[in-house]
Amino acid sequence: MPLSAAEAQSTNKNPQACAVILAAGKSTRMRSELPKPLHPVCGVPLTGHVVRACRDAGIERVVVVIGHQADRVREGLGDDVEYVLQTEQLGSGHAAMCAEPALKGFHGAVLILAGDVPLIRPQTLESLIAAVGGDEATAGGRTAGAMLTARLDDPTGYGRVICDEAGNVVKIVEHRDATPEERAIKVVNPSIYCFRAEGLFEKLHQIGTDNDQGELYLTDVVGIASAAGERIAAVPIEDAREVLGVNTRAELAEVTRLMRLRILEGFMREGVTVVDPATTYVDATVTVGRDTTIEPQTHLLGSTTIGERCTIGPMTVVKDMRIGDETAIMQSRVIGGVIGSRVRIGPFAHIRPGCSIRDGARIGDFVELKNSDIGEGVAASHLSYIGDADVGAGTNVGAGTITCNYDGYKKHRTVIGKRAFIGSHTTLVAPVHVGDGAMTAAGTVVTEDVPGDALAIGRARQATREGWAARWRSARERHGDG
Ligand code: UD1
Ligand code: CA
């Protein structure tokens, strides 16, 4: 079984909960043309990871609040979530309020989370939802909601969480609004909350703008609930790295590194050898089979799936590929196609999009393939360009073979049959067809179709002059310029 980095980790569904993901902000600190929710983290948009965590926690209804570059964000995140628009960015509280019409009539738990916390795990969301539901949770007064809390050595920039003796949250103070005593608090707000739907929007409407930024802060809902005698439970998170938020490029890099290690740990747990996790780059969308070895400095990207007992790398880029079992690819770049089982590729091969390389084929060094079907057991071992070609099973492609597929206006196809032998340095001027079992002599320029089992030879006849080289050398030496 191929293993997925994103395997759904949840079994108990949460149909009684919905999620509101806040992703409308301007993300000024990223200093980017690209909206923050779309910055890729291991091949998936930042906010896409948050959506995925909600889905894996069994939440069916996911509402994403968009505003800044709304159309672009909507297009980038895709249409399997609902969108609501925040036309003016008046703060995180106002963003949450924008979901009110969409959630009219919804009873249950409303998870509200920032779209910039991609490492959040579904299990954590499930325990947060569980902290709001259930009878035992209502013990110390009505439970209006719960929020994750994290302890950070350096809490700079985060909202600080102020709790009562019972460990319930009393209020959240933003860093810029905090007193020196409050700033000394190391328990922070990761911006991941779960509220009961009843009463949530009433409280959101009570929020004011009396803060340093003059914004409507979502964090104030917590203080409002607490002041009204309602309980907001604190759910401390063990590993604070899970709630790291991305506000800057440096944080983006750090979160990407952690995500990568998490994916690789998942692979290793399921029986994949990762020789050097620190130099193995892998997208969240990749699957790798058991007993496959990933050598150092290897990138596995996009929709790639790799079978069992393969060796990939070192120094290899694999993107959007489907690869069978027991295939080895070393020091090569392989993009957008299908490779069978027991195939050998590299070193220094370049497999461009649109190729199908069938079982047992061998593609050697400095071979470039593009949009070609390479049959079972084909060998193209050295220095070739094969583009827009079909090569039949068992054919040998000699060193330096070139398909001339382009006439300056159009691409043309080269078709080579089964068990053919293409001599070294054959030039195949497409469109051209070489039949089953045919041979081409080394150095031949093939401009006409070659019938099956025929030999094509097309090169200038060699002239040999006995003793010429020796005479030439001695003439040079006599004149003293040898
Ligand atoms: C917020 C929290 C802070 C917490 C931190 C954790 C508030 C007031 N503060 O601060 O307590 O420690 O997250 O990372 O919530 N957004 C909108 N519309 C807006 C404003 C923001 O959709 O008008 C979205 C942003 O896109 C983002 C989220 O809300 O996804 C949080 O906003 P951000 O500006 O990142 O808040 P922080 O300053 O990080
Ligand atoms: Ca943030």
Side-chain angles (χ1 to χ4, degrees):
M1 266 291 283
L3 316 163
S4 164
E7 62 213 12
Q9 287 150 323
S10 157
T11 45
N12 47 328
K13 295 286 168 195
N14 275 303
Q16 76 289 5
C18 70
V20 176
I21 299 175
L22 310 182
K26 288 198 205 67
S27 42
T28 326
R29 287 166 282 179
M30 291 294 284
R31 306 183 74 88
S32 179
E33 280 290 304
L34 184 69
K36 179 165 78 172
L38 299 186
H39 275 266
V41 173
C42 296
V44 171
L46 183 61
T47 301
H49 286 282
V50 182
V51 172
R52 215 156 132 164
C54 292
R55 292 270 185 247
D56 289 347
I59 296 169
E60 267 149 39
R61 230 181 132 191
V62 177
V63 178
V64 181
V65 184
I66 52 175
H68 176 66
Q69 295 205 51
D71 290 342
R72 200 164 169 195
V73 174
R74 186 197 303 251
E75 197 182 312
L77 292 180
D79 53 15
D80 67 332
V81 293
E82 288 172 54
Y83 291 96
V84 299
L85 196 63
Q86 184 195 23
T87 43
E88 259 187 296
Q89 280 62 68
L90 303 177
S92 53
H94 178 255
M97 229 184 285
C98 292
E100 183 174 13
L103 297 187
K104 212 164 187 67
F106 177 83
H107 301 285
V110 182
L111 202 63
I112 302 184
L113 62 173
D116 61 3
V117 282
L119 294 167
I120 189 69
R121 291 182 311 136
Q123 297 90 320
T124 306
L125 296 180
E126 285 175 28
S127 56
L128 182 64
I129 295 166
V132 178
D135 290 331
E136 75 283 4
T138 48
R142 196 181 120 85
T143 300
M147 61 176 285
L148 293 181
T149 61
R151 183 174 287 278
L152 295 185
D153 289 335
D154 177 14
T156 309
Y158 284 88
R160 307 298 204 279
V161 181
I162 296 167
C163 290
D164 62 17
E165 288 101 64
N168 295 322
V169 185
V170 176
K171 66 169 180 170
I172 300 166
V173 185
E174 288 306 290
H175 180 90
R176 57 205 303 161
D177 299 311
T179 62
E181 296 77 53
E182 287 167 338
R183 284 191 181 181
I185 295 170
K186 290 189 162 31
V187 178
V188 304
N189 165 31
S191 250
I192 302 172
Y193 324 78
C194 184
F195 298 105
R196 284 185 194 283
E198 304 86 67
L200 169 62
F201 290 102
E202 283 85 332
K203 289 184 206 86
L204 279 169
H205 284 291
Q206 291 170 37
I207 291 175
T209 54
D210 182 19
N211 55 59
D212 187 54
Q213 295 193 98
E215 286 187 1
L216 293 157
Y217 282 173
L218 175 57
T219 45
D220 286 355
V221 163
V222 170
I224 292 167
S226 171
E230 292 178 317
R231 176 170 178 259
I232 301 286
V235 178
I237 189 155
E238 257 170 56
D239 185 352
R241 288 176 305 179
E242 195 182 319
V243 292
L244 282 180
V246 175
N247 297 305
T248 64
R249 305 274 183 151
E251 287 165 343
L252 181 68
E254 175 61 2
V255 156
T256 300
R257 186 182 70 83
L258 292 169
M259 179 69 81
R260 218 171 69 214
L261 291 177
R262 182 190 285 180
I263 296 165
L264 293 172
E265 276 160 18
F267 284 177
M268 292 188 273
R269 242 190 335 268
E270 301 295 341
V272 174
T273 294
V274 180
V275 175
D276 183 17
T279 64
T280 304
Y281 302 85
V282 59
D283 280 352
T285 40
V286 170
T287 65
V288 180
R290 189 163 298 213
D291 285 321
T292 281
T293 297
I294 308 172
E295 299 281 0
Q297 293 166 0
T298 292
H299 303 242
L300 306 179
L301 309 173
S303 61
T304 294
T305 67
I306 297 171
E308 300 185 352
R309 301 178 299 286
C310 293
T311 301
I312 312 293
M315 288 176 258
T316 290
V317 176
V318 179
K319 186 176 183 203
D320 299 333
M321 290 296 305
R322 194 147 48 80
I323 298 174
D325 299 326
E326 293 170 25
T327 282
I329 305 176
M330 65 178 324
Q331 275 167 281
S332 292
R333 185 177 174 84
V334 175
I335 290 172
V338 181
I339 295 178
S341 295
R342 300 175 309 286
V343 172
R344 297 278 168 279
I345 292 184
F348 314 117
H350 186 191
I351 314 300
R352 292 166 53 201
C355 290
S356 174
I357 303 173
R358 293 168 196 273
D359 295 351
R362 165 86 181 88
I363 306 297
D365 47 277
F366 304 106
V367 173
E368 175 182 347
L369 301 185
K370 188 214 78 174
N371 191 29
S372 290
D373 187 324
I374 307 298
E376 266 183 46
V378 165
S381 298
H382 335 266
L383 300 159
S384 287
Y385 171 62
I386 302 174
D388 301 308
D390 301 309
V391 182
T395 284
N396 187 84
V397 177
T401 295
I402 304 288
T403 56
C404 307
N405 58 328
Y406 185 49
D407 61 12
Y409 295 92
K410 271 189 166 164
K411 302 283 168 62
H412 302 280
R413 222 157 168 89
T414 299
V415 179
I416 302 172
K418 301 189 184 105
R419 296 174 310 282
F421 183 93
I422 307 300
S424 291
H425 211 298
T426 294
T427 302
L428 297 145
V429 182
V432 73
H433 185 282
V434 177
D436 291 348
M439 299 178 81
T440 67
T444 293
V445 178
V446 179
T447 52
E448 290 163 20
D449 288 355
V450 183
D453 294 321
L455 167 72
I457 175 162
R459 61 192 182 207
R461 180 165 286 280
Q462 179 177 329
T464 306
R465 309 199 201 296
E466 290 290 342
W468 190 95
R471 286 197 297 280
W472 185 80
R473 274 195 301 272
S474 54
R476 283 281 163 282
E477 277 153 27
R478 265 202 311 278
H479 290 103
D481 57 354

